[in-house]
Amino acid sequence: MSSLLVDDIGELVTNVPTPGGGPLGLRRDVALLVEAGRVVWIGPARYAPAADRRIDAGGGAVLPGFVDSHAHLVFAGDRAAEFAARMAGEPYTGGGIRTTVGATRAASDDDLRDTVRRLRDEAMRQGTTTMEIKSGYGLTVADEARSLRIAAEVTAETTFLGAHVVPAEYAGRPDDYVGLVCGPMLTAATPYARWVDVFCERGAFDADHARAILTVGQAAGLGLRLHANQLGPGPGVRLGVELGAASVDHCTHLSDADVDALAGSAGADEPTVATLLPGAEFSTRSPYPDARRLLDAGVTVALATDCNPGSSYTSSMPFCVALAVREMRMTPAEAVWAATAGGARALRRTDVGVLRPGARADLMILDAPSHLHLAYRPGVPLIRQVLHNGVPQCRL
Ligand SMILES: [Zn+2]
C-alpha cells in the first residue's frame, strides 16, 4: 500500500480541540501520514515514519479541505446582465431563477455535466474537497432527476430542490406544483439524492408547503435542509429546527425566537446548523447575516458559497472566509472552522472537515504560514496543493 508523508508543516489545523490549540486544534512541528485515502498518523515531525512519497509543505499551513455545504451547480447559461442591472440599483427578488430554468431544460446532459465538473474543479483548486450540489433548475420530473443524476457523478452530497421556485407553467397553482414535488418528482429524485431542500420564502414556498415537502422527503429517507430567512423574516428557521433539519441556510433575517430555536438545538446530538452564505449578500448588495449574534448564542455556524448563476456566482470558500471576517465580524479562527468543520456538521459528516487518524485525507497546503492569511490576504491564490482522498490535485 502506497503511503504519503506531508511534512515541513508550518501550522496544522486539525479541528480537534486541544488545550493549547483552541477550537482549531492548532499543532506545530508535526507531520501527517496518508494511506489508502485516509489520515493514518499525525505526530512530531522528528518521529515521522518512512513513506513511499513525500510532500514538503515548505513551512506552509495545512488545513482540512473546505466543506462547501450549499451549492447549485447544475444549470445552463449565466445571468451576468442581471448582476449588472442589480449593481446599477435594481433589487434582487429571486425571480431570475426562472431564466436559468429555461436554459437548463434546453441544455444537453453533456452541457450540464461540463458545467458541474468545471465548477467542481474550480472549487477544488480553491481548497474545496467536499461539495454539496442541489438540483432546482429543472423543475420537471425528468429534469430534476437528470440534474441529480449528473450531480451524483461528482459528489455523494446531492440535494433534491424541486421546491426552488414555482415554475411558470404552474403560475397561480402552487398547491398543484407542491403535489408534483411530493409525488412523482420526489420518487424520481430519491435514487440520486441524499437530502431534500425547500426555498421557504415569500414569493417561493410558504411554511405549509415546506412542511409537506420535507415531511414526505424525510419519509422517503432523505435528510432535511432548508433555504430560510434570506430575503425577509419568516417561519423557515423555526420549521427547520422543529423538523430536525441538518441545516437552515442563509439566516439573514432572524428574530430572537429564531436564534433561541437554533441555540436550543445546539446541545442535541444532531443540532441544526445555521449556514451563512455571504457570497449571496455580497452579490446582491444586501445586509449580511449577524454571525456574532448566532455565535454568541452558542449556535453551530457553517459557511458555504451558495454558488449559483444568479445571486452568488462564486465557488471560492477563501472569499467567503474573508467576507465572514471582514463583514460579519467572525474571527479568522471562527470563519476557518465554519468553512471546514462547520460545513461537515451541516452535512452530518464526521470523516471530513477534520484531520485526525481515520479521517479522509482531504486537505490543503497554503503558500502562507498560518490560516490567518486566508482572510488577511483576500483575493490572493494562496492554495498551493490540495489532497482529495489522499490524491494530490495540483501539479507542483
Ligand atoms: Zn441556495
Side-chain angles (χ1 to χ4, degrees):
M1 189 185 306
S2 169
S3 57
L4 171 64
L5 184 73
V6 182
D7 65 2
D8 198 10
I9 298 172
E11 169 191 271
L12 181 69
V13 173
T14 64
N15 286 337
V16 178
T18 52
L24 292 184
L26 298 179
R27 297 183 65 177
R28 290 188 175 77
D29 301 318
V30 294
L32 179 149
L33 186 70
V34 173
E35 276 179 12
R38 298 271 159 177
V39 176
V40 295
W41 179 88
I42 296 174
R46 63 186 179 280
Y47 299 132
D52 301 313
R53 288 180 300 152
R54 169 173 176 259
I55 291 181
D56 182 340
V62 173
L63 292 79
F66 291 121
V67 180
D68 184 353
S69 60
H70 186 134
H72 307 249
L73 303 191
V74 193
F75 65 86
D78 78 33
R79 280 150 57 194
E82 181 188 311
F83 174 76
R86 206 161 53 230
M87 292 303 105
E90 290 182 20
Y92 175 67
T93 61
I97 292 170
R98 290 190 184 89
T99 308
T100 300
V101 170
T104 302
R105 288 176 178 175
S108 69
D109 288 11
D110 280 342
D111 285 345
L112 296 179
R113 185 173 284 122
D114 286 350
T115 298
V116 168
R117 289 176 186 248
R118 176 174 56 81
L119 292 171
R120 190 276 314 264
D121 291 350
E122 185 182 279
M124 185 87 77
R125 290 195 294 275
Q126 299 169 89
T128 298
T129 47
T130 302
M131 200 166 194
E132 184 259 18
I133 301 178
K134 303 175 194 298
S135 68
Y137 295 117
L139 309 187
T140 66
V141 172
D143 284 310
E144 285 296 295
R146 81 162 171 154
S147 295
L148 287 162
R149 181 165 41 80
I150 289 167
E153 292 172 2
V154 300
T155 185
E157 303 296 343
T158 52
T159 300
F160 169 46
L161 181 60
H164 198 185
V165 67
V166 177
E169 62 272 22
Y170 280 86
R173 298 186 292 134
D175 291 351
D176 291 350
Y177 183 65
V178 170
L180 179 73
V181 171
C182 290
M185 199 183 277
L186 176 70
T187 302
T190 300
Y192 310 108
R194 179 170 183 226
W195 304 96
V196 58
D197 191 347
V198 176
F199 189 25
C200 182
E201 199 77 42
R202 193 185 300 273
F205 296 89
D206 65 21
D208 290 343
H209 289 148
R211 180 186 294 278
I213 294 162
L214 295 176
T215 303
V216 295
Q218 194 166 42
L222 304 181
L224 308 185
R225 351 187 39 80
L226 205 55
H227 284 67
N229 302 56
Q230 175 189 6
L231 305 176
V237 164
R238 274 164 288 155
L239 179 67
V241 173
E242 178 198 329
L243 297 179
S247 179
V248 287
D249 295 31
H250 284 292
C251 295
T252 311
H253 297 271
L254 298 184
S255 67
D256 288 345
D258 297 327
V259 176
D260 289 348
L262 286 164
S265 93
D269 281 351
E270 295 192 313
T272 298
V273 173
T275 299
L276 310 183
L277 309 169
E281 279 78 30
F282 177 87
S283 299
T284 59
R285 195 177 278 143
S286 302
Y288 289 93
D290 190 344
R292 282 258 56 87
R293 184 180 176 205
L294 290 164
L295 290 163
D296 293 346
V299 175
T300 304
V301 170
L303 286 169
T305 62
D306 195 18
C307 183
N308 78 83
S311 59
S312 183
Y313 200 6
T314 180
S315 58
S316 174
M317 289 292 279
F319 176 61
C320 294
V321 166
L323 284 181
V325 172
R326 170 62 180 82
E327 302 292 338
M328 290 154 55
R329 298 176 191 279
M330 293 174 75
T331 66
E334 286 169 339
V336 165
W337 190 93
T340 51
R345 300 280 199 290
L347 294 171
R348 297 206 165 148
R349 294 277 296 267
T350 56
D351 59 331
V352 297
V354 65
L355 291 174
R356 64 178 168 222
R360 214 164 74 171
D362 286 357
L363 59 83
M364 67 185 111
I365 301 171
L366 301 189
D367 259 332
S370 154
H371 68 282
L372 296 171
H373 286 236
L374 287 167
Y376 171 50
R377 306 201 63 217
V380 177
L382 291 179
I383 292 158
R384 183 204 307 173
Q385 181 59 282
V386 176
L387 264 60
H388 183 229
N389 281 321
V391 178
Q393 302 294 307
C394 310
R395 261 177 273 152
L396 288 172

